[in-house]
């Protein structure tokens, strides 16, 4: 419930700020930070409850992307081009899929101190969330690849965009080897 309420109020807050021109520099900075923090914490909770390599990889892809995008925004701000970092429609769609997935996955998480209870449709909702999280991870990689290609076409340089991806792969490959 909290992730759904958080997602809806985040969307409503952004809509109100844009519609009534009530944006602020602090809000523009804090909103993405709060979004990324809530996604990361939710993924950590889900991976703790479902500790599989598959779930850890999906979480690593999504958290790696969140860090990469934050780094890219910071880098563009230092170059005086923060306004050029806009959210693409595919990124918005990915966020919707990701939030629905996280809501489904959190719904099926059972706290360790809770007595054995049956969560209504818990397994079905978990599977839906599992598949949606995989779709969100694929969309994450796709959007990141498009950003990288766009950057390369403009500058003919790969390194700044792909460096975090290689860092994420450097974490994932040993994790797979240990699994």
């Amino acid at each position: 419930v909290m992730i759904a309420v958080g997602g809806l109020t985040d969307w409503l807050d952004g809509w109100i700020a844009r519609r009534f021109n009530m944006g602020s520099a602090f809000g523009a900075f804090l909103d993405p930070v709060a979004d990324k923090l809530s996604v990361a914490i939710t993924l950590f909770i889900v991976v703790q409850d479902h500790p599989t390599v598959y779930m850890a990889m999906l979480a690593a892809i999504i958290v790696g992307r969140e860090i990469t995008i934050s780094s890219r925004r910071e880098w563009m701000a230092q170059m005086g081009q923060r306004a050029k970092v806009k959210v693409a429609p595919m990124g918005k769609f990915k966020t919707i899929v990701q939030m629905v997935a996280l809501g489904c996955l959190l719904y099926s998480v059972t706290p360790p101190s809770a007595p054995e209870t049956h969560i209504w449709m818990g397994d079905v909702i978990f599977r839906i969330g599992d598949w949606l999280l995989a779709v969100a991870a694929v969309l994450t990689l796709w959007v990141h690849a498009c950003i990288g290609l766009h950057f390369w076409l403009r500058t003919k340089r790969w390194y700044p965009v792909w460096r975090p991806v290689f860092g994420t792969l450097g974490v994932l490959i040993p994790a797979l080897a240990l699994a």
Side-chain angles (χ1 to χ4, degrees):
V1 172
M2 291 301 293
I3 194 84
V5 170
L8 288 174
T9 57
D10 181 44
W11 171 82
L12 183 62
D13 170 59
W15 181 82
I16 290 170
R18 285 186 299 277
R19 174 85 166 100
F20 298 106
N21 199 24
M22 297 172 64
S24 69
F26 183 66
F29 161 76
L30 193 58
D31 186 62
V33 171
D35 293 348
K36 287 164 185 24
L37 189 59
S38 67
V39 167
I41 289 169
T42 302
L43 285 167
F44 295 156
I45 291 168
V46 168
V47 170
Q48 182 180 5
D49 198 57
H50 305 283
T52 64
V53 173
Y54 168 75
M55 193 64 75
M57 284 179 52
L58 295 178
I61 289 168
I62 292 170
V63 171
R65 180 253 179 214
E66 301 294 349
I67 293 168
T68 301
I69 293 300
S70 294
S71 300
R72 181 171 164 252
R73 284 195 175 114
E74 179 67 26
W75 179 53
M76 294 297 281
Q78 287 179 358
M79 295 173 54
Q81 298 181 355
R82 180 156 183 7
K84 289 188 177 182
V85 181
K86 298 199 185 308
V87 179
M90 183 61 78
K92 289 182 185 265
F93 177 70
K94 186 244 5 142
T95 300
I96 292 168
V97 171
Q98 179 176 291
M99 289 308 194
V100 172
L102 292 176
C104 290
L105 292 169
L106 272 183
Y107 174 79
S108 64
V109 169
T110 306
S113 61
E116 282 296 317
T117 58
H118 178 69
I119 299 173
W120 181 76
M121 291 189 63
D123 191 47
V124 172
I125 291 174
F126 173 78
R127 294 292 165 221
I128 292 169
D130 191 27
W131 278 98
L132 287 175
L133 193 64
V135 169
V138 168
L139 289 173
T140 294
L141 294 173
W142 175 256
V143 169
H144 197 68
C146 290
I147 291 169
L149 181 61
H150 178 73
F151 179 83
W152 180 78
L153 290 172
R154 288 184 43 228
T155 65
K156 303 295 188 236
R157 292 182 7 221
W158 284 110
Y159 185 68
V161 172
W162 292 101
R163 180 177 165 199
V165 173
F166 293 135
T168 302
L169 290 175
V171 171
L172 289 177
I173 292 170
L176 286 175
L178 293 174

